[in-house]
Amino acid sequence: MAGLGKKVLIVYAHQEPKSFNGSLKDVAVAELGRQGCSITVSDLYAMDFEPRATRNDITGTLSNPETFSYGVEVYEAYKKAALSSDIVQEQKKVQEADLVIFQFPLYWFSVPAVLKGWMDRVLCQGFAFDLPGFYDDGFLKGKSAILSLTTGGTAEMYSKTGVSGDFRYFLWPLQGRTGTCWRGAGAPGQGSVPLCLPFDG
Amino acid sequence: MAGLGKKVLIVYAHQEPKSFNGSLKDVAVAELGRQGCSITVSDLYAMDFEPRATRNDITGTLSNPETFSYGVEVYEAYKKAALSSDIVQEQKKVQEADLVIFQFPLYWFSVPAVLKGWMDRVLCQGFAFDLPGFYDDGFLKGKSAILSLTTGGTAEMYSKTGVSGDFRYFLWPLQGRTGTCWRGAGAPGQGSVPLCLPFDG
């Protein structure tokens, strides 16, 4: 029971439960449960999670209704508890989690848009980081994160001499995202432990 | 009239017309128009463009209704002209364009989710590339692309010794996206000509 009492959030972005991504998620739920963890899954497609960062993310009046600045408004809304309920719910899940696993297929060398939208909207200033309060001082620094992804290409294609180039370069911005907020992650390229699987689906 | 008869598509992802991104888009429209280009703007937030890649992107029956594979289904749908109308409209704009300008603020070291969704959904297999038919042989190879982006951090923060690391690493996956389909772009890291502006908004 290595994980006894530990809380895990799986942010899962695949349309098909019977996919390889779906199986990886299911195996993680089963195995982590066996180890005594409690697990929450955010199944983004099933939730029809909103990826667009818009004025709707702020309830009530805007700080500056004349010129809309998403970053400014969301930061202010976070401080006065005026973010939309779907963002608040995801932030609560992240806050409670000891470990967050991102489970997704690589779309155009990055996360699918639905997961990018989760990152854009949930990991807002004030909640996940502040200035100061980022990289090694990010607000999620007590937590761990894993990028668990599948690819359409082979491992060879993503090697230094492969046609797509070194896979680590694709992971850099993703690690930047997690590294800004998560545990001891430092700058991009130094953060998290990606689990890369050369299979599609 | 250097651009006489040339067609330009601007894929624009900012919520606020009065933003710096909005101004950059407006200046591009004015200046390129002055040079004799005809310009089309896809204003993604104003269009409420759908970023999520789902079964709704395919009209009619699926190739395999038992297990949904987005990539497979969209590829088949492209070949039999059964993609959803919003995708078809954007593909038509890309097809007609000599130059595509992506205008956006950097969100988490990448494009905002709404623009990621445009890339995920519009640049599908069959339309933008095929296997074979990618990188130097991508189907948009007769066209040019420009990444025109703004950042919240200073240029120094994105330098090799800066806290966020070398900016070129963030651009790598973005250039991979354009490089797969666009002109003489080769592998990621070698593609397109990014215009980087160290301002937010």
Side-chain angles (χ1 to χ4, degrees):
Chain A
M1 302 293 273
L4 194 63
K6 294 285 182 188
K7 291 185 177 178
V8 180
L9 170 62
I10 302 179
V11 184
Y12 164 69
H14 202 287
Q15 307 91 345
E16 172 58 59
K18 286 180 280 180
S19 63
F20 187 50
N21 272 274
S23 296
L24 286 169
K25 181 258 294 171
D26 291 342
V27 166
V29 168
E31 175 57 26
L32 292 167
R34 203 188 56 77
Q35 292 187 20
C37 299
S38 65
I39 300 127
T40 303
V41 177
S42 284
D43 183 341
L44 299 185
Y45 287 107
M47 295 157 74
D48 203 24
F49 189 80
E50 172 61 64
R52 288 161 289 215
T54 70
R55 192 257 174 270
N56 298 337
D57 290 355
I58 301 102
T59 62
T61 55
L62 294 174
S63 162
N64 178 1
E66 298 303 313
T67 307
F68 182 72
S69 169
Y70 183 79
V72 169
E73 295 295 343
V74 162
Y75 184 37
E76 293 303 318
Y78 176 77
K79 287 188 282 188
K80 57 184 185 185
L83 286 173
S84 63
S85 60
D86 61 338
I87 295 178
V88 172
Q89 281 169 27
E90 294 306 303
Q91 289 180 340
K92 191 158 178 284
K93 294 177 193 173
V94 172
Q95 198 60 65
E96 290 175 352
D98 300 294
L99 165 68
V100 180
I101 299 174
F102 296 98
Q103 181 65 57
F104 61 97
L106 202 68
Y107 275 24
W108 281 120
F109 312 108
S110 184
V111 295
V114 71
L115 177 51
K116 182 60 168 57
W118 187 96
M119 292 169 163
D120 289 350
R121 298 175 65 232
V122 175
L123 303 177
C124 74
Q125 185 174 357
F127 171 70
F129 69 97
D130 209 336
L131 307 167
F134 59 109
Y135 291 138
D136 284 349
D137 296 318
F139 296 168
L140 309 178
K141 67 181 172 184
K143 307 173 187 305
S144 301
I146 291 174
L147 301 171
S148 177
L149 59 142
T150 62
T151 73
T154 61
E156 173 54 35
M157 288 172 72
Y158 292 109
S159 68
K160 207 159 187 171
T161 53
V163 69
S164 295
D166 194 327
F167 197 79
R168 289 176 305 166
Y169 292 140
F170 305 132
L171 295 177
W172 188 278
L174 288 169
Q175 292 176 330
R177 255 162 254 168
T178 51
T180 306
C181 329
W182 257 269
R183 177 163 68 184
Q190 301 165 25
S192 70
V193 182
L195 169 64
C196 310
L197 294 157
F199 297 101
D200 200 2
Chain B
M1 303 293 273
L4 194 64
K6 294 284 182 188
K7 292 186 176 177
V8 180
L9 170 62
I10 303 179
V11 185
Y12 165 70
H14 202 287
Q15 306 90 347
E16 172 57 60
K18 286 180 281 181
S19 64
F20 187 49
N21 273 274
S23 296
L24 287 168
K25 182 257 294 169
D26 291 342
V27 166
V29 168
E31 175 58 26
L32 292 167
R34 202 186 59 75
Q35 292 187 21
C37 299
S38 67
I39 301 128
T40 303
V41 177
S42 284
D43 183 341
L44 300 184
Y45 287 107
M47 294 157 72
D48 201 26
F49 190 80
E50 173 61 64
R52 288 161 288 214
T54 71
R55 192 259 174 266
N56 298 336
D57 291 354
I58 300 101
T59 62
T61 55
L62 295 174
S63 161
N64 178 1
E66 298 303 313
T67 308
F68 181 71
S69 168
Y70 183 78
V72 168
E73 295 295 343
V74 162
Y75 184 38
E76 293 303 317
Y78 176 79
K79 288 188 282 187
K80 55 185 185 183
L83 286 172
S84 64
S85 60
D86 62 338
I87 295 178
V88 173
Q89 281 168 28
E90 294 306 302
Q91 289 181 339
K92 192 158 175 282
K93 294 178 193 173
V94 172
Q95 198 61 65
E96 288 174 353
D98 300 295
L99 165 66
V100 180
I101 299 174
F102 296 98
Q103 181 63 58
F104 61 96
L106 202 69
Y107 275 24
W108 281 119
F109 313 107
S110 184
V111 294
V114 71
L115 178 50
K116 183 59 166 58
W118 187 97
M119 292 168 163
D120 288 351
R121 298 175 66 232
V122 175
L123 302 177
C124 75
Q125 185 174 357
F127 171 70
F129 69 98
D130 209 335
L131 307 167
F134 59 110
Y135 292 137
D136 284 348
D137 296 318
F139 296 167
L140 309 178
K141 68 181 172 185
K143 307 173 188 302
S144 300
I146 291 175
L147 301 172
S148 177
L149 59 143
T150 62
T151 73
T154 62
E156 173 55 35
M157 289 171 73
Y158 292 108
S159 67
K160 207 159 187 172
T161 54
V163 68
S164 296
D166 194 329
F167 196 80
R168 289 176 305 167
Y169 292 140
F170 304 133
L171 295 177
W172 188 276
L174 287 169
Q175 292 176 329
R177 256 162 254 167
T178 51
T180 307
C181 329
W182 258 269
R183 177 162 68 185
Q190 300 165 24
S192 69
V193 181
L195 169 65
C196 310
L197 293 157
F199 297 102
D200 201 3

